[in-house]
Amino acid sequence: MFCSQCGKPVDPSSRFCSACGATISAAAPPPVGSYPNTGQLTRPRYNRMIAGVCAGFALHYGWNLNLVRILTALVALFTGVGAIAYLIAWVIIPEAPYAIPAKGL
Ligand SMILES: [Zn+2]
């Protein structure tokens, strides 16, 4: 790895750059195979039933996907608000990118 301050190669096990003395912060890479959590609520391109709104909320907040779908369906059936809320969420929540975003984006 390289120093973020001076760009010189540094020992990853050391905490400071030997050339300029800058603190080396090793950002932990995300676990391989995990859903790319960018902090943004998105509609995933898989696991979707209509537009992926339920799957998006379930993934983002760690909820049970089937529970989210059942609750959404119940709210939509009994109040009529759920269908409108679903349509609004469909428009507002962006679709998840096809691939894992490049580092730094
Ligand atoms: Zn340095």
Side-chain angles (χ1 to χ4, degrees):
M1 64 185 283
F2 297 92
C3 173
S4 59
Q5 294 292 317
C6 66
K8 289 202 169 66
V10 289
D11 185 359
S13 61
S14 65
R15 294 194 57 224
F16 300 97
C17 174
S18 57
C20 71
T23 310
I24 294 155
S25 53
V32 176
S34 70
Y35 181 78
N37 188 2
T38 54
Q40 165 82 54
L41 178 61
T42 53
R43 291 182 285 115
R45 292 180 182 274
Y46 55 91
N47 258 344
R48 52 169 57 176
M49 201 163 268
I50 301 171
V53 172
C54 291
F57 274 103
L59 272 170
H60 190 73
Y61 295 106
W63 296 338
N64 183 288
L65 179 54
N66 289 324
L67 193 69
V68 173
R69 280 188 176 139
I70 290 163
L71 284 174
T72 306
L74 284 175
V75 170
L77 274 172
F78 288 105
T79 68
V81 178
I84 296 163
Y86 191 95
L87 284 172
I88 292 168
W90 190 344
V91 172
I92 289 173
I93 302 169
E95 263 185 317
Y98 276 111
I100 295 167
K103 210 179 172 189
L105 285 177

